Amino acid sequence: MSASIPAEPAARPWPLETRVPPPLLLFAVLFAMGGVATLPVAAGVGRAIRLESGGLLMVASAFFMLWSVLTMRRAHTTIDPVDVHHASTVVTTGPFRITRNPIYLGMLGVTTGWAIVLAHPVAWVGPVAFLAWLTRLQVVPEERAMRARFGDGYAQYAARVSRWL
């Protein structure tokens, strides 16, 4: 039984598809989460544990993103998330053996680490909203472009490697 990427429905793209650079979205979400965290909430997990665990996740995620960018640079392909049609190759090495979206997974790790640091229940809306936006308005269009550009090569890669983990 061979696995393949399901065909995208023939629908018009959403107006915001690949229009908002993910790093800009990341900082907007982090800023909003910080604002929400100023709201009063009952005490929870100790500050030191939150700072250490959330901070560690954020730093590890940043290194994962850096590894991903360097891997793409070595493959001589674009890292521009807005102009996805300029990809020159399907990168399958380094962190791309683990996930098809290592940079975005790293960004999600940063938002999750920040939610841990903030320790406010409403701050958890940030990683969830970030993931939803990114999946629908960035990842799905990128995958559509990659399928169109690289055909079976991308389909085989996508069958082997999960979108996230």
Side-chain angles (χ1 to χ4, degrees):
M1 182 169 143
S2 76
S4 65
I5 300 175
E8 286 290 318
R12 283 187 335 179
W14 287 20
L16 288 176
E17 282 188 358
T18 68
R19 300 274 189 232
V20 178
L24 179 64
L25 178 63
L26 172 66
F27 288 115
V29 168
L30 293 174
F31 181 76
M33 290 169 65
V36 164
T38 63
L39 300 172
V41 68
V45 178
R47 185 173 189 267
I49 292 172
R50 288 191 340 256
L51 291 176
E52 289 172 8
S53 59
L56 179 62
L57 179 57
M58 292 173 75
V59 169
S61 296
F63 276 110
F64 195 66
M65 287 188 291
L66 179 61
W67 181 29
S68 304
V69 168
L70 294 174
T71 302
M72 290 179 78
R73 293 272 189 206
R74 277 193 296 274
H76 304 289
T77 193
T78 184
I79 62 167
D80 184 350
V82 176
D83 200 1
V84 298
H85 293 86
H86 284 107
S88 61
T89 189
V90 178
V91 180
T92 60
T93 60
F96 293 89
R97 290 174 293 152
I98 302 165
T99 173
R100 295 194 312 258
N101 297 290
I103 295 172
Y104 301 150
L105 184 61
M107 290 177 174
L108 182 61
V110 169
T111 62
T112 301
W114 187 232
I116 292 169
V117 168
L118 296 174
H120 195 287
V122 180
W124 286 96
V125 171
V128 173
F130 182 77
L131 178 62
W133 176 287
L134 202 58
T135 299
R136 176 59 190 95
L137 297 174
Q138 193 66 41
V139 172
V140 169
E142 282 183 14
E143 289 182 347
R144 188 171 45 236
M146 294 293 281
R147 269 195 308 276
R149 184 157 175 93
F150 299 107
D152 286 342
Y154 183 76
Q156 291 170 3
Y157 167 67
R160 282 191 324 270
V161 178
S162 173
R163 178 181 281 171
W164 296 111
L165 279 181

